[in-house]
Amino acid sequence: MTDLAGSGSDAALIAASLEEPECFAALFDRHAPAIHQYVARRLGRDAADDVTAETFLTAFRIRARFDPARAGVRPWLHGIAAKQIGRHRRDEIRALKLLARTGHDPVAESWTDSADDRLAAEAASRPLAKALAGLSAGDRHVLLLFAWADFSYQEIAEALDIPVGTVRSRLNRARRKLRAATGAAAGPLLEARVHEGDPA
């Protein structure tokens, strides 16, 4: 196997995996935990295993089409995950509606990272869950990539294959709807933070 697994760039690993498919395993090792955590937050732990596996299987199958000039690997993988999540949209809506009714978030219970605990605690509010369930899939993808995956506008655009202007308008619309539904109590989901390189 090519000696890229430990030190090679993600793009170099994808390129090497075209000749040596086992190189792709290093990409999985690097990015699967973040993809799994993001999907678990969206769909729950049970679906996260399947969706993460589907994401990497799809990425492996289409790796020859990866264009390092257009997008980084992280947005590319999250974009694939977003499409997989879209296929599980009913599960996500059902979970958000359950959270809105009960205020109980089974995914958040097992998290130990303080940032995730803080976000999960705020996400557990019933009005917020109801408002998230009411967002369009496109608006919800943009908002949650921004809030839970900590993506920049450009990374979101790359992940979802949409223009940065569309990211900005969807994020603005989602924030406006959440503010109306929660009275601005949505915390990090409504924070107006700017990543380096995001348009002002």
Short mmCIF file of all heavy atoms in Angstrom, two decimals, residues 24 29 34 40 43 71-72 77 96 101-102 108-109 132 136 160 166 171 186:
data_model
loop_
_atom_site.label_atom_id
_atom_site.label_comp_id
_atom_site.label_asym_id
_atom_site.label_seq_id
_atom_site.Cartn_x
_atom_site.Cartn_y
_atom_site.Cartn_z
N PHE A 24 -8.23 4.15 0.57
CA PHE A 24 -9.45 4.85 0.96
C PHE A 24 -9.78 4.64 2.43
O PHE A 24 -10.44 5.47 3.05
CB PHE A 24 -10.62 4.41 0.08
CG PHE A 24 -11.78 5.36 0.09
CD1 PHE A 24 -11.79 6.48 -0.72
CD2 PHE A 24 -12.87 5.14 0.92
CE1 PHE A 24 -12.84 7.36 -0.71
CE2 PHE A 24 -13.93 6.01 0.94
CZ PHE A 24 -13.93 7.13 0.13
N ASP A 29 -11.01 6.47 8.20
CA ASP A 29 -10.53 6.64 9.57
C ASP A 29 -10.50 8.11 9.99
O ASP A 29 -10.80 8.44 11.14
CB ASP A 29 -9.13 6.04 9.73
CG ASP A 29 -9.13 4.51 9.60
OD1 ASP A 29 -10.20 3.89 9.74
OD2 ASP A 29 -8.05 3.95 9.33
N ALA A 34 -16.59 12.25 12.46
CA ALA A 34 -17.31 13.53 12.30
C ALA A 34 -18.61 13.33 11.52
O ALA A 34 -19.65 13.91 11.87
CB ALA A 34 -16.43 14.55 11.60
N ALA A 40 -25.78 11.31 13.46
CA ALA A 40 -26.47 10.91 14.70
C ALA A 40 -27.27 12.07 15.26
O ALA A 40 -28.38 11.87 15.76
CB ALA A 40 -25.45 10.41 15.73
N LEU A 43 -30.33 12.24 12.76
CA LEU A 43 -31.25 11.11 12.61
C LEU A 43 -31.30 10.15 13.79
O LEU A 43 -32.15 9.27 13.82
CB LEU A 43 -30.89 10.30 11.36
CG LEU A 43 -30.93 11.02 10.03
CD1 LEU A 43 -30.43 10.10 8.92
CD2 LEU A 43 -32.32 11.52 9.72
N ALA A 71 -13.79 21.35 -4.46
CA ALA A 71 -14.23 21.21 -3.07
C ALA A 71 -13.20 20.41 -2.28
O ALA A 71 -12.48 19.59 -2.83
CB ALA A 71 -15.58 20.49 -3.02
N GLY A 72 -13.18 20.66 -0.98
CA GLY A 72 -12.37 19.85 -0.09
C GLY A 72 -13.07 18.53 0.18
O GLY A 72 -14.25 18.36 -0.14
N LEU A 77 -17.72 14.93 1.48
CA LEU A 77 -18.30 13.84 2.26
C LEU A 77 -19.60 14.27 2.95
O LEU A 77 -20.58 13.50 2.97
CB LEU A 77 -17.30 13.33 3.30
CG LEU A 77 -16.11 12.55 2.75
CD1 LEU A 77 -15.08 12.31 3.84
CD2 LEU A 77 -16.56 11.24 2.11
N LEU A 96 -37.65 14.82 15.25
CA LEU A 96 -37.82 16.22 15.68
C LEU A 96 -39.21 16.44 16.28
O LEU A 96 -39.35 17.16 17.28
CB LEU A 96 -37.58 17.18 14.52
CG LEU A 96 -36.12 17.32 14.08
CD1 LEU A 96 -36.02 18.08 12.76
CD2 LEU A 96 -35.30 18.02 15.16
N ARG A 101 -42.56 17.13 21.15
CA ARG A 101 -43.63 16.70 22.05
C ARG A 101 -43.12 16.38 23.45
O ARG A 101 -43.74 16.73 24.45
CB ARG A 101 -44.33 15.46 21.49
CG ARG A 101 -45.46 15.73 20.57
CD ARG A 101 -46.33 14.50 20.32
NE ARG A 101 -45.62 13.24 20.17
CZ ARG A 101 -45.11 12.78 19.03
NH1 ARG A 101 -45.23 13.48 17.93
NH2 ARG A 101 -44.49 11.62 18.98
N THR A 102 -41.98 15.68 23.53
CA THR A 102 -41.54 15.15 24.81
C THR A 102 -40.41 15.94 25.46
O THR A 102 -40.22 15.85 26.67
CB THR A 102 -41.04 13.70 24.65
OG1 THR A 102 -39.87 13.69 23.83
CG2 THR A 102 -42.12 12.81 24.05
N ALA A 108 -28.59 13.14 22.61
CA ALA A 108 -27.80 14.04 23.44
C ALA A 108 -27.37 13.42 24.76
O ALA A 108 -26.36 13.81 25.33
CB ALA A 108 -28.59 15.32 23.72
N GLU A 109 -28.11 12.43 25.25
CA GLU A 109 -27.80 11.84 26.54
C GLU A 109 -26.40 11.25 26.63
O GLU A 109 -25.77 11.29 27.66
CB GLU A 109 -28.81 10.73 26.86
CG GLU A 109 -30.17 11.25 27.20
CD GLU A 109 -31.15 10.12 27.43
OE1 GLU A 109 -30.80 8.94 27.22
OE2 GLU A 109 -32.27 10.43 27.82
N LEU A 132 -37.39 23.30 13.78
CA LEU A 132 -36.48 22.57 12.88
C LEU A 132 -37.25 21.61 12.00
O LEU A 132 -36.96 21.47 10.81
CB LEU A 132 -35.42 21.82 13.68
CG LEU A 132 -34.29 22.64 14.27
CD1 LEU A 132 -33.43 21.80 15.20
CD2 LEU A 132 -33.43 23.27 13.18
N SER A 136 -37.74 23.62 5.53
CA SER A 136 -37.56 22.80 4.33
C SER A 136 -36.25 22.01 4.49
O SER A 136 -35.37 22.40 5.25
CB SER A 136 -37.48 23.68 3.09
OG SER A 136 -36.25 24.39 3.08
N LEU A 160 -23.25 21.03 -0.57
CA LEU A 160 -24.59 20.88 -1.13
C LEU A 160 -24.65 21.21 -2.62
O LEU A 160 -25.72 21.12 -3.22
CB LEU A 160 -25.57 21.76 -0.35
CG LEU A 160 -25.68 21.45 1.14
CD1 LEU A 160 -26.65 22.41 1.82
CD2 LEU A 160 -26.10 20.00 1.37
N THR A 166 -26.95 31.31 -2.23
CA THR A 166 -28.07 30.47 -1.82
C THR A 166 -27.89 30.02 -0.37
O THR A 166 -28.86 29.96 0.39
CB THR A 166 -28.21 29.26 -2.76
OG1 THR A 166 -28.38 29.74 -4.10
CG2 THR A 166 -29.38 28.37 -2.38
N LEU A 171 -29.75 30.25 5.03
CA LEU A 171 -29.39 30.41 6.44
C LEU A 171 -30.18 31.57 7.05
O LEU A 171 -30.70 31.45 8.16
CB LEU A 171 -27.89 30.64 6.58
CG LEU A 171 -27.32 30.63 7.99
CD1 LEU A 171 -27.65 29.34 8.72
CD2 LEU A 171 -25.81 30.83 7.93
N ALA A 186 -32.77 30.09 20.37
CA ALA A 186 -32.13 28.96 19.71
C ALA A 186 -30.62 28.98 19.82
O ALA A 186 -29.95 28.10 19.31
CB ALA A 186 -32.54 28.90 18.25
#
